Amino acid sequence: MNPGAKTEITVQGIAASQGIAYGQIFVYLQSDVEVPAYQVQPEKRVDEIARFDHALVVTRQQISKIKHEVEKNIGPKEAAIFDAHLMVLEDEALIGETIREFESSGCNIETCFQKISSRYVQAFAEIDDEYLRERTGDLRDVAQRVLQNLLGQAENSLGRLADKRIVVASDISPSDSASIDRSAALALVTDTGSKTSHAVIVARSMKVPAVVALRDLTKRVTNGDWAVVDGYDGLVILHPSESTLFRYGKIEERKKSFEARLLEASREPAVTLDGVAVALMANIEKVEEVARVKACSAEGVGLFRTEYLFLNSARIPTEQEQFLAYKTVAEAVAPHPVIIRTLDLGGDKPMAGNAGLFPKENNPFMGFRAIRFCLEHPDIFKDQLRAILMAGAHGKVRLMYPMISGSEELARANALLAECRSELQARGQAFDENMPVGAMIEIPSAAATADLLAKECAFFSIGTNDLIQYLLAIDRVNDRIAHLYEPTHPAVIRTLAYVVEQAHKQGVPVGVCGEMAGDPVFVPLLLGLGLDSLSMAPAWLPAVKYLVRAMTLADARALAAEALTLASPKEIYSRCDAFYRARVRVE
Ligand code: PEP
Ligand code: MG
């Protein structure tokens, strides 16, 4: 194919993960299939039922094939889940009711099947039996597959890309992003989203370029179109011309040689030119990522987002399963510490197939998420707390609560933790009795009461992704207002300074684990404000370390002191940018 055959089109979005990709597009259709509704002529009704039968047969063949592949590549236990999927297809009630609905309404079979299967999904989600409730996800998956076959839509899955592709989607949910085929996604590009949506965080951790907020791009492209994704400037160039490809080839070469220099620096200690050591740690979402923590010479894991263990699974992982995951990470990073954050499900990270646990909300980011969910589900929470305490016997583990809003909530969480300690003691189980316990500071009320929280915490970690969204009232995943999401807003800087001041008065160290910590432009400001450690996606650590080694803490303090006197977020940003550019040159 000649990539230059069509006219080149440049679409501007928001740069979300650095890097350049060139390749063919795969349009990822969201799992909720759009079903047209129409009446079927009486003489076509027999054919309509035959069409339904055919779709069921094709679906069965697809699932059997996947089952076979999983069995061969992973194992029989994992393949067994597809038996449950096959059983859905044999379900007489579901199939029979669909046909009865069709006979009485005369509506096309997709509409009837969607109506009946959604009713089943809803009923399963509300059942008071955990095993049956867990089948909701299976049912939903199979129903989507049948609908796709009925509508003649090609099967698509982010977890099984046929080839290396640029993934274009209207949005990517956290569970979709958790299952992305990391070896085949060249870049992620979405119509909606912002720099801190979770799909973008995953893209950054995969070191895959990402551009978001491209509005209606999914409607302007088709599978197989060629494109360049520029994750530095937030551009997607469709049908790139030869000269564009040449230009991007050059940019990529320069960036590659710069990255080689960064990688070299990352093996050196993170010490400023005036001799101050800075703790740089890594954020991880999955146990497997621990290898990257070591590869980038991070001083441990500053944020382990444990909810991904839950998002990747059709059911809630048991205490033992969680223990093994946490222990693996703790052992791998020892003697460095791992900060295990308790569950932050809900918000934009609901658990698929558990609609009963996460009812739909109008305002999910201000709703039933994280510690709020855990305190209302003490059984789920305590399984996790015990698993973390037990992992403490195998490495340097610290426990951290997300979304703490004040000291009463912290006390309630700590009371459950105390119960867990007694239970483990009664079992005679080995665990870390003195595990340091900290809180994320990511809600303004926590920041304002930092002095009170510091009394009960061994450390703080500031979640700037959420803190900024709540301080500035900017939904972090809403692309329409993404330009207003400003980490250098004076309110943000003053809040950071206040938290550090209050914590330090009581000898409590403060880190940052939001995306701000991994952006070299903001790093001097954070260090100048007195932050003790920074935790970021492993991919960003070399660039941050390079900068740390090229600056003095004294200069960073001066920058922060000046920033605290300025009123304009843009002006503060440009001071930070100038600081960075004066010390780091790409060429
Ligand atoms: C944050 O809010 O900054 C943070 C690190 O947590 P998450 O991005 O997982 O909400
Ligand atoms: Mg957060």
Side-chain angles (χ1 to χ4, degrees), residues 341 344 369 440 442 466 476:
R341 176 175 79 178
D344 186 1
R369 67 177 276 209
M440 284 198 71
E442 51 184 345
D466 278 314
R476 67 193 250 192

Side-chain angles (χ1 to χ4, degrees), residues 198 303 305 307 341 344 349 365 369-370 402-403 440-442 462-467 469-470 476 513-514:
H198 283 98
L303 170 65
R305 289 184 166 98
E307 54 275 10
R341 176 175 79 178
D344 186 1
K349 292 180 281 190
F365 270 119
R369 67 177 276 209
M403 295 284 290
M440 284 198 71
I441 304 294
E442 51 184 345
I462 303 184
T464 45
N465 303 339
D466 278 314
L467 184 63
Q469 86 161 335
Y470 297 128
R476 67 193 250 192
C513 62

Side-chain angles (χ1 to χ4, degrees), residues 419-466:
E419 282 177 26
C420 291
R421 286 199 193 96
S422 313
E423 286 156 10
L424 291 177
Q425 242 146 17
R427 275 196 220 163
Q429 180 79 52
F431 71 101
D432 180 359
E433 296 185 28
N434 302 310
M435 182 175 292
V437 177
M440 284 198 71
I441 304 294
E442 51 184 345
I443 299 185
S445 59
T449 54
D451 55 329
L452 304 175
L453 291 171
K455 292 193 174 75
E456 304 301 329
C457 285
F459 62 92
F460 284 162
S461 185
I462 303 184
T464 45
N465 303 339
D466 278 314

Side-chain angles (χ1 to χ4, degrees), residues 26 34 44 93 118 149 178 224 329 445 453 455 481 493 498:
F26 164 72
E34 262 182 53
K44 298 247 171 83
S118 328
N149 285 323
V329 175
S445 59
L453 291 171
K455 292 193 174 75
I481 46 170
I493 300 176
Y498 178 77

Side-chain angles (χ1 to χ4, degrees), residues 24-30 156 158 161 165-172 187-191 211 214-223 225 227 229 236 238:
Q24 281 180 290
I25 281 175
F26 164 72
V27 185
Y28 174 59
L29 294 170
Q30 254 35 56
N156 66 50
L158 285 182
L161 296 176
R165 285 281 196 270
I166 293 169
V167 176
V168 178
S170 116
D171 191 13
I172 297 176
L188 296 186
V189 167
T190 57
D191 289 348
V211 178
L214 287 147
R215 312 252 153 193
D216 60 349
L217 189 74
T218 39
K219 299 207 176 78
R220 299 168 69 175
V221 296
T222 44
N223 276 329
D225 279 352
V229 176
V236 174
L238 301 172

